[in-house]
Amino acid sequence: MSADMTQAWLSPARPMSIAHRGASAYALANSLRAFQVAADLGADMWEVDLHQTLDGVIVAFHDYTLADGRSITKLTHAELRAALPDGEAPTFDEVIDLALQTDTGIYADIKAWECARGVSDMLQAKGVERAILGAFDPRAVAELKAANTPYPRSVLVPVSVDPFEVIGDAEVIHPCWEHMERPQDLLDATFFARCEDLGKKVVLWHEEDPARMAELRVKPILGICSDRPELVNPVTFKPDWQPKVICHRGANKIAPENTLAAGHCAFAPGFSHFEIDVHISADGELVVLHDPTVDRTTNGTGVTCEKTLAELRALDAGSWFSPHFSDEKLPTLDEVLELAKLYDGNLYIEFKSAPAAPVWERVVAYDLQDRCFFWSFVTETLNDLRALTKGAHIMSRRQDFPTLKEASDALKPSLVEYTIDDPWDDFTELRASGMPVMIAYNGDDPAIFERIIDARPDMVNIDQPFLFARIAVDKGLAHRG
């Protein structure tokens, strides 16, 4: 029996997002947390590496050995669990249960060929419909064939191997070419014509570069693996309403706020802005952090602007959020500007202790003047910025002024921000002046998001961009890809 390749999910309108070992950019690879985050980010499937312990338990784990050299196959499940931190090597049974709860498919990368039949049997026993079973080892693919698996089989193809020489009667070609400089150039018309002639589907390597991803997602492929599954199919709003989505301190529910990881997760899914807060260090360098002290979001203590850049960069800015981010550092403004350039993204820059002049200088150096807007509780800083240039885009908050006219006149702003408690009845007047409306909301109440969406603001400044996007998709106002 061969897999039924006519099933609708195997002919998607866009490439499926396959979270590589889960959302492994944001959580421990092959952990239940990584799989849950991937589901939250909208992944269609999870790529799961599978081994089998000495006593026959199938587990999600990538390497063949532990750090101390012991082989997974020589350890009982109890011994494996005792040797690893909590969260590592969940059982395949646990992974399947979570997949069913989150309505996510499973892309199995079978490392130990001996467990191939067991993988197929477990998926069938639990009623999983969306699964692809793959391996580098041809013995695993052969074992799946012998087991008459109903799921498509995938052959993972390393660099320098002709995929058409090794695919055999498997249904899916999976080139693992991520370390090549331009692997997308090999995916030409001749390659896809041959795939079509042979009736083969294509799944691609894990890809995290936004420029390469933009080239790959338009090709006739079944799916793309990524450590950042949100990058595969960015959120796109319909032509009649295309709000700009400002991610408050980045995607701060997925990664630690005001870090590069949070910025990647803001830009990768197609959201327009990364909101950041900028301080100046004791030696005059610009760093991104919200609080006046480093206590809350790092392992350090003390006043931010009283520390040198070297002292600030030595801090761990991620462990407070999750052990996975223990290597995360406080980013410099330059690093965030580089990130915005990488994604062709925008920034909302809030001045904290940083003065106007050096911040504006760095923005100009990156030619991002028209991709940034500014605000601060420190009115003098905004006055300084406006004195420096008429070209800076400054935000005005409606709540700070008794009338809309006063909010619109102060500092000649480029946009006005409203909270959910401000008078929305003057939206029409504001728009008539050609100025965008932005609504800020840091909560997670779907009813309030519904109200915001019904108001059709030009911009939203929010803590829960993925929830906002899901509601917009459900209402038919947006889609992925």
Side-chain angles (χ1 to χ4, degrees), residues 2-12 150 152 171 199 201:
S2 62
D4 180 5
M5 296 296 286
T6 66
Q7 297 177 79
W9 70 271
L10 287 165
S11 299
E171 295 87 359
K201 302 282 187 177

Side-chain angles (χ1 to χ4, degrees), residues 202-224:
V202 180
V203 167
L204 300 183
W205 58 85
H206 72 89
E207 183 58 70
E208 286 73 52
D209 180 81
R212 292 206 319 193
M213 186 67 84
E215 292 188 54
L216 295 175
R217 70 168 69 98
V218 298
K219 294 184 180 291
I221 51 182
L222 177 60
I224 305 173

Side-chain angles (χ1 to χ4, degrees), residues 256-277:
E257 65 178 59
N258 271 318
T259 62
L260 293 179
H264 275 289
C265 198
F267 288 136
F271 300 131
S272 62
H273 286 69
F274 176 13
E275 188 268 346
I276 61 172
D277 305 278

